[in-house]
């Protein structure tokens, strides 16, 4: 069953704004009534829920940032009693506490429907065999798209991530027509197909739904050529819901944000002030229907632009440009969110290292490579090789276990890393994501 809701997806902007206002007011009420964090914020600002009487009043509301969620670990920001929560997920990238997100039964239905809408927009139907090669677990990617595909009535093949040889075999034998994974994993699968001598034209592959990390048009062209598919991009974040927040249609001229459920703004990341229409800035999202974890003005740190002109596909929902950069220093390595502070934290706990390090990210073939160059202590560098080797292995093991992605460590001589004045440059990203 195609999940297309023209009553929302092609709504007149005026009507949409009215719907958004009603839903915003309900959300603000719910937040103030049920979430201590918001109640306190409103009290501090001398703000009452009744003060929100138009969409322009949105800017009176406080921002919510990832650290607020970390501090509320695990359940403090939930707006319903825990017995109403039927699913828990969590975001990757864990300094100290990860952020935990919870869904009510109604939230899960909305989430499935929005993923189904996004998949319908790129032509997925009940005729499709859809292979989900995202990791099943706390990460929202696999479950979100899985539920959406089932709602459409497609045949879901939950391969999860990894075992690339088997992914290729399944594509070939199970007649996969739609592939869901990160764009970098799609390239890894394409490579494996070539190695295994599988001609993509001989498979049923038709479309790819890729997301969860930044990628470039050049990479899209490569995937399309090597897999002989149409490659589409979709965007989301666990705090807001997971995948299904926004996705391309077959016109591929931006991601339609599900504005009947999320209210977008673009702000200047430095001042927090709204940006004029069409300018690049940080995407801020307010949830309009969520029950478990409603969020007001959540700062995504993702940089993009919004375009309000209707799309050739008929949808009137705003189009956001693909996300290429963030306003903070979070890196996405093979789909896993990594913060430089996590690396620093590990290094500081290991004797013999200096807090001088450089993170080098590169892409070899389809795979992101993470290298951390660490300055060792003067005394140590003079010492024997065996000791150096042990230290390197220890750092490597600790970083890999903390970050959840494999890391290559290179020990460098004391004072060999560039010292900068002002803002220190800790990251060199050699991947071409523009
Ligand atoms: O990555 C949700 C998701 C799963 C989206 C599957 C699409 C497909 P998180 O792990 O919380 O959630 O990471 C969210 O990933 O703030 C962006 O910086 C980045 N991101 C997600 N999708 C895209 C994309 C999921 N299509 C963070 N392009 C977000 C660029 C993306 N960056």
């Amino acid at each position: 069953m195609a999940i297309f809701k023209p009553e929302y997806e092609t709504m007149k902007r005026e009507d949409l704004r009215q719907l958004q206002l009603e839903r915003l007011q309900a959300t603000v009420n719910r937040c103030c009534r049920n979430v201590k964090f918001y109640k306190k914020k409103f009290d501090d600002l001398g703000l009452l829920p009744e003060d929100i009487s138009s969409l322009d009043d949105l800017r009176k509301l406080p921002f919510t940032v990832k650290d607020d969620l970390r501090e509320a670990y695990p359940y403090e920001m939930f707006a319903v009693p825990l017995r109403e929560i039927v699913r828990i997920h969590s975001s990757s990238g864990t300094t100290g506490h990860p952020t935990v997100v919870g869904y009510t039964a109604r939230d899960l239905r909305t989430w499935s429907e929005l993923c189904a809408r996004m998949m319908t927009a790129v032509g997925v139907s009940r005729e499709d065999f859809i292979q989900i090669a995202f990791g099943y677990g706390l990460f929202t990617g696999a479950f979100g798209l899985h539920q959406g595909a089932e709602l459409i009535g497609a045949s879901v093949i939950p391969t999860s991530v990894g075992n690339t040889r088997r992914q290729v075999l399944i594509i070939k034998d199970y007649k996969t027509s739609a592939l869901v994974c990160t764009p970098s994993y799609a390239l890894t699968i394409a490579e494996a197909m070539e190695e295994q001598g599988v001609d993509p034209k001989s498979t049923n592959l038709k479309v790819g739904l890729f997301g969860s990390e930044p990628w470039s048009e050049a990479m899209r062209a490569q995937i399309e050529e090597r897999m002989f598919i149409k490659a589409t991009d979709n965007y989301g974040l666990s705090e807001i819901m997971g995948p299904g927040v926004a996705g391309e249609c077959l016109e591929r001229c931006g991601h339609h944000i599900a504005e009947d459920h999320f209210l977008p703004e673009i702000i200047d990341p430095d001042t927090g002030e709204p940006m004029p229409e069409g300018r690049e800035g940080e995407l801020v999202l307010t949830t309009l229907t969520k029950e478990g974890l409603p969020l007001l003005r959540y700062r995504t740190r993702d940089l993009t632009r919004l375009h309000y002109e209707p799309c050739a596909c008929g949808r009137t929902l705003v189009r956001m440009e693909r996300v290429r950069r963030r306003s903070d220093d979070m890196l996405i390595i093979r789909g896993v969110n990594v913060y430089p502070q996590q690396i620093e934290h590990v290094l500081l706990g290991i004797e013999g290292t200096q807090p001088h390090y450089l993170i080098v990210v590169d892409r070899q073939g389809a795979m992101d490579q993470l290298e951390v160059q660490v300055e060792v202590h003067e005394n140590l560098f003079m010492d024997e090789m065996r000791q150096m080797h042990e230290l390197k292995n220890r750092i490597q093991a600790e970083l890999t276990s903390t970050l959840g992605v494999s890391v290559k460590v290179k020990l460098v001589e004391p004072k060999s890393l560039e010292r900068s004045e002002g803002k220190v440059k800790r990251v060199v990203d050699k991947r071409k994501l523009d």
Side-chain angles (χ1 to χ4, degrees), residues 52-69:
I52 307 303
S53 57
S54 76
L55 283 184
D56 290 337
D57 289 334
L58 186 65
R59 65 177 68 173
K60 293 184 186 162
L61 297 176
F63 288 118
T64 311
V65 296
K66 198 171 178 105
D67 273 343
D68 296 329
L69 282 167

Side-chain angles (χ1 to χ4, degrees), residues 55 67 85 104 119 124 134 137 153 155 200 217 232 254 315 387 398:
L55 283 184
D67 273 343
I85 297 287
T104 65
M119 291 177 167
V124 172
F134 273 132
S155 311
E217 283 302 325
T232 65
R315 287 177 184 78
Q387 214 183 338
E398 288 202 21

Side-chain angles (χ1 to χ4, degrees), residues 91-92 134 139-141 145 210-215 233-239 242-243 255 300 302 323-324 326 330 332 335 337:
S91 73
S92 53
F134 273 132
F139 175 58
T140 52
L145 287 138
F210 306 129
S212 168
E213 64 182 9
W215 51 314
D233 188 15
N234 65 86
Y235 166 90
L237 61 165
S238 24
E239 294 84 349
H255 299 52
T300 66
D302 291 318
V323 171
R324 296 182 185 83
R326 292 177 50 89
M330 184 181 94
I332 305 183
N337 304 348

